[in-house]
């Protein structure tokens, strides 16, 4: 059986307690994961502290940048191993992970190295009574040892989205991958060593949340800042943990995102984009759409086209090139999504398509498969319209005016993302600016430029990362004033 070890101070560390990694495709165990104890987490934090005060902290920016380029190259050199590990852990199609998850895993190191290399700080010359003057300049110091708590939906992408900028800014990290997806974080340890990243800079501890590695990292007094991606309730617990010691947190959390489709849109592009935003990664994307509002003149046509698209999705093995939808992450998550499928019916939805579990052949019958699902007919106050499901499903509602759709789309406790489909440029800007979200796409979805701010409003999070905004979280800006 494959053994997934912790990575502490540049070495792979076995532990006594193990937990099972279950394949979401078959329901069979595929690996033994070594759970980190409190003592293992203490060792990881101590190693991170020593590296911060030692070789990593003393490295010039140029040297650090070269090392991070080598990490990116190392991921690309072992692309197929990362791809196989990510797809085994998540059940996602290789066609998806080879275009998004793994290339982004590498890009997150290159791009944030470039950001750090190229960003200037502020400078203010100052007049003084003696006429000689003074200069002020900003200096960015690393924030210290960063605890990185990760989810399972885009494991390598979302972990490196934090680790890339954290290391580029000169910090060291203790990463707690999701218990569902331990493999690529561990594999990255080998790449770090091969790239010459000093021991202790990148550490990985496996385990769960409360009473396990997640809690040990976030409550550790020697962890200086915490960056988290995951569910809103977990984020709240982490924010409480960070209050002790007044430590900064960056929280990227859930969403209940609305797409708004106006009658003047490019219809085919709106269908293609909405198909992706609802069904990509089996609906397990925080930025994904679960509420679709369609202007009444094209409502019936839109519902019919999305139904046709959903019914054309091919579920199957990751390595099969024709697969365009994989599994949910686990049986537990399948049960959660199915409970919402039932709730939608109980709340009075019309099931346009799906609503259950597909029949899969052979060993796949034991996996966490789910049908792509579309509903219509729910009132705005239904729970299915308010709560994040995190599955391949959406509700489609008609609307008659811009004001009406803005009111409905914004009437939600989350505020992560929206996708607006229209050919009217003025309306596109107007609606994008009036949506209570951190990210608004117009005539696109998940079109990402890593230099741009990323984050959510309301229950979807606090803080922004991306480009220079990541520097704001991963460094402390000091003012140096020099009298001339
Ligand atoms: P989760 O909150 O259940 O788990 C995330 C991580 O937190 C895991 O590593 C888990 O072990 C750890 N954890 C759980 N309880 C903890 C505790 N008390 N202390 C410390 N660590 C703890 O989230 P998930 O189910 O892995 O991911 C799905 C969720 O993540 C969805 O809600 C999705 O919307 C959200 N998400 C948000 C973004 C974003 O950028 N906003 C991106 C991806 C996923
Ligand atoms: O692309 C990214 O940087 C990012 N943070 C994506 C998040 C996806 C959520 O599931």
């Amino acid at each position: 059986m494959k053994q997934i070890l912790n990575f502490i101070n540049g070495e792979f560390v076995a532990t006594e307690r193990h937990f099972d990694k279950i394949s979401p495709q078959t329901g069979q165990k595929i690996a033994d994961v070594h759970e980190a104890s409190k003592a293992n987490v203490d060792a990881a934090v101590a190693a991170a502290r020593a590296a911060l005060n030692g070789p990593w902290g003393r490295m010039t920016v140029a040297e650090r940048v070269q090392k991070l380029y080598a990490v990116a190259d190392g991921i690309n050199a072992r692309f197929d191993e990362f791809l196989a590990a990510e797809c085994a852990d998540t059940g996602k199609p290789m066609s998806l992970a080879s275009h998004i998850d793994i290339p982004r895993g590498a890009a997150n190191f290159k791009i944030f190295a470039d950001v750090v290399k190229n960003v200037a700080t502020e400078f203010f010359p100052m007049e003084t009574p003696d006429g000689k003057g003074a200069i002020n300049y900003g200096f960015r110091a690393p924030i210290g040892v960063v605890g990185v708590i990760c989810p399972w939906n885009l494991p390598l992408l979302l972990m490196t989205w934090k680790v890339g900028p954290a290391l580029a800014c000169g910090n060291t990290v203790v990463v707690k991958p999701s218990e569902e997806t331990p493999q690529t974080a561990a594999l990255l340890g080998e790449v770090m060593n091969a790239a010459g990243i000093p021991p202790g800079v990148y550490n990985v501890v496996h385990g769960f949340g409360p009473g396990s590695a997640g809690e040990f990292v976030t409550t550790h007094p020697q962890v200086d800042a915490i960056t988290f991606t995951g569910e809103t309730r977990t984020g709240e617990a982490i924010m409480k943990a960070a209050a002790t010691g007044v430590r900064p947190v960056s929280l990227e959390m859930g969403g209940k995102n609305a797409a708004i489709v106006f009658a003047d849109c490019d219809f085919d592009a709106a269908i293609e984009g909405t198909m992706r935003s609802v069904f990509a990664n089996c609906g397990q994307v925080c930025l994904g759409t679960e509420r679709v509002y369609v202007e009444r003149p094209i409502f019936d046509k839109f519902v019919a086209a999305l139904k046709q698209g959903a019914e054309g999705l091919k579920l199957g093995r990751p390595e099969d090139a024709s697969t365009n939808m994989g599994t949910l992450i686990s049986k537990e998550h399948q049960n959660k999504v199915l409970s919402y499928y039932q709730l939608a019916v109980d709340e009075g939805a019309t099931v346009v398509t799906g609503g259950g579990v597909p029949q899969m052949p052979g060993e796949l019958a034991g996996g966490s498969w789910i049908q792509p699902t579309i509903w219509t007919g729910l009132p705005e106050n239904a729970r299915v319209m308010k709560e994040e499901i995190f599955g391949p499903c959406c509700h489609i509602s008609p609307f008659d005016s811009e004001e009406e759709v803005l009111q409905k789309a914004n009437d939600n406790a989350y505020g992560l993302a929206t996708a607006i489909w229209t050919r009217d440029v003025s309306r596109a800007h107007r609606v994008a600016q009036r949506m209570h979200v951190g990210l608004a796409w117009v005539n696109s979805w998940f079109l990402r430029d890593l230099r741009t701010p990323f984050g959510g409003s309301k229950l979807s999070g606090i803080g922004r990362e991306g480009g220079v905004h990541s520097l704001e979280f991963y460094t402390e800006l000091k003012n140096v004033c020099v009298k001339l």
Side-chain angles (χ1 to χ4, degrees):
M1 184 60 61
K2 193 167 190 175
Q3 304 293 307
I4 310 294
L5 306 186
N6 300 278
F7 184 71
I8 299 172
N9 204 22
E11 291 181 353
F12 284 94
V13 176
T15 59
E16 274 172 21
R17 276 167 69 117
H18 302 171
F19 59 92
D20 295 346
K21 169 57 203 165
I22 302 293
S23 163
Q25 299 161 60
T26 63
Q28 299 298 310
K29 178 175 172 178
I30 53 171
D32 254 335
V33 188
H34 290 234
E35 184 177 354
S37 64
K38 174 83 175 70
N40 297 129
V41 173
D42 287 346
V45 174
R49 173 73 51 204
L52 184 73
N53 295 332
W56 192 244
R58 287 198 292 269
M59 220 173 255
T60 64
V61 172
E63 285 170 324
R64 214 159 62 211
V65 163
Q66 286 312 313
K67 296 259 182 250
L68 295 178
Y69 282 2
V71 173
D73 292 344
I75 294 174
N76 285 328
R78 299 179 66 174
F79 193 95
D80 290 348
E81 284 174 79
F82 276 97
L83 184 62
E86 200 74 316
C87 294
D89 271 0
T90 58
K92 66 177 75 191
M94 285 188 171
S95 55
L96 179 76
S98 62
H99 281 97
I100 298 191
D101 301 63
I102 314 304
R104 258 296 298 281
N108 282 332
F109 287 99
K110 273 216 163 86
I111 286 175
F112 287 104
D114 287 341
V115 169
V116 167
K117 197 171 65 175
N118 292 316
V119 166
T121 54
E122 59 202 270
F123 172 85
F124 292 105
M126 190 183 170
E127 289 174 9
T128 55
D130 65 5
K132 291 183 180 167
I135 54 169
N136 290 273
Y137 64 90
F139 173 76
R140 288 194 179 277
I143 199 157
V145 175
V146 181
V148 184
I149 309 291
C150 307
W152 45 255
N153 62 327
L154 301 164
L156 182 72
L157 185 157
L158 289 174
M159 189 256 290
T160 54
W161 158 249
K162 308 291 195 169
V163 172
L167 298 193
C169 291
N171 303 285
T172 57
V173 295
V174 178
V175 174
K176 212 296 279 172
S178 167
E179 51 274 34
E180 300 287 357
T181 52
Q183 293 202 55
T184 47
L187 193 50
L188 187 60
E190 293 180 23
V191 169
M192 292 281 178
N193 280 348
I197 301 289
V201 171
Y202 172 79
N203 304 275
V204 179
V205 289
H206 296 296
F208 304 84
S212 183
E215 182 185 320
F216 302 151
V217 171
T218 53
T219 56
H220 202 295
Q222 289 295 312
V223 169
D224 300 302
I226 300 160
T227 182
F228 167 76
T229 308
E231 279 190 15
T232 299
R233 247 174 305 159
T234 313
E236 287 173 347
I238 286 176
M239 201 169 177
K240 282 185 191 144
T244 304
V246 198
R247 293 167 304 151
V249 283
S250 171
L251 304 176
E252 290 177 5
M253 308 192 289
K256 186 73 184 177
N257 308 306
I260 302 177
V261 186
F262 288 96
D264 70 347
C265 69
D266 174 337
F267 187 84
D268 292 345
I271 289 293
E272 186 275 331
T274 308
M275 279 295 297
R276 280 192 300 114
S277 76
V278 176
F279 301 117
N281 209 38
C282 202
Q284 302 162 116
V285 183
C286 62
L287 306 163
T289 301
E290 291 191 359
R291 296 178 295 148
V292 187
Y293 294 95
V294 181
E295 205 169 4
R296 201 173 298 274
I298 60 164
F299 178 77
D300 290 341
K301 184 178 165 195
F302 189 95
V303 173
L306 207 69
K307 173 180 191 295
Q308 189 185 13
E311 291 175 354
L313 288 169
K314 171 139 186 313
L315 280 61
R317 292 178 185 280
E319 59 277 11
D320 183 340
S322 66
T323 297
N324 41 29
M325 199 169 107
T327 61
L328 294 171
I329 189 68
S330 63
K331 283 281 165 199
E332 187 188 347
H333 191 52
Q334 185 194 42
N335 287 335
K336 176 186 159 186
V337 174
L338 281 173
S339 75
Y340 277 102
Y341 281 17
Q342 182 59 48
L343 180 64
V345 173
D346 296 345
E347 290 187 310
T350 299
V351 181
V352 175
T353 188
V357 174
Q359 290 286 325
M360 298 300 285
E363 63 167 10
L364 299 186
S368 308
W369 304 91
I370 192 101
Q371 287 178 332
T373 294
I374 299 172
W375 306 286
T376 55
L378 282 176
E380 281 298 311
N381 63 359
R383 278 182 54 204
V384 166
M385 297 291 280
K386 297 290 178 202
E387 299 172 17
E388 182 186 52
I389 301 170
F390 222 53
C393 54
C394 70
H395 179 272
I396 316 182
S397 319
F399 70 88
D400 294 300
S401 75
E402 195 177 304
E403 275 312 311
E404 175 200 350
V405 76
L406 272 165
Q407 187 277 323
K408 287 181 173 170
N410 276 328
D411 184 17
N412 197 272
Y414 292 102
L416 188 54
T418 188
I420 300 157
W421 299 90
T422 178
R423 285 190 168 100
D424 180 335
V425 175
S426 300
R427 176 160 60 195
H429 287 285
R430 216 167 40 232
V431 173
Q433 290 172 22
R434 289 185 63 194
M435 282 295 290
H436 304 163
V437 294
L439 299 131
W441 278 289
V442 175
N443 297 329
S444 58
W445 177 76
F446 210 142
L447 188 57
R448 294 275 294 118
D449 182 326
L450 299 183
R451 296 167 299 182
T452 60
F454 181 101
S457 308
K458 303 189 275 185
L459 289 188
S460 295
I462 54 169
R464 293 291 180 270
E465 296 192 37
V468 293
H469 310 285
S470 292
L471 268 56
E472 279 152 23
F473 182 71
Y474 294 108
T475 62
E476 208 153 43
L477 184 59
K478 304 176 181 190
N479 187 63
V480 180
C481 178
V482 182
K483 174 78 176 64
L484 299 175

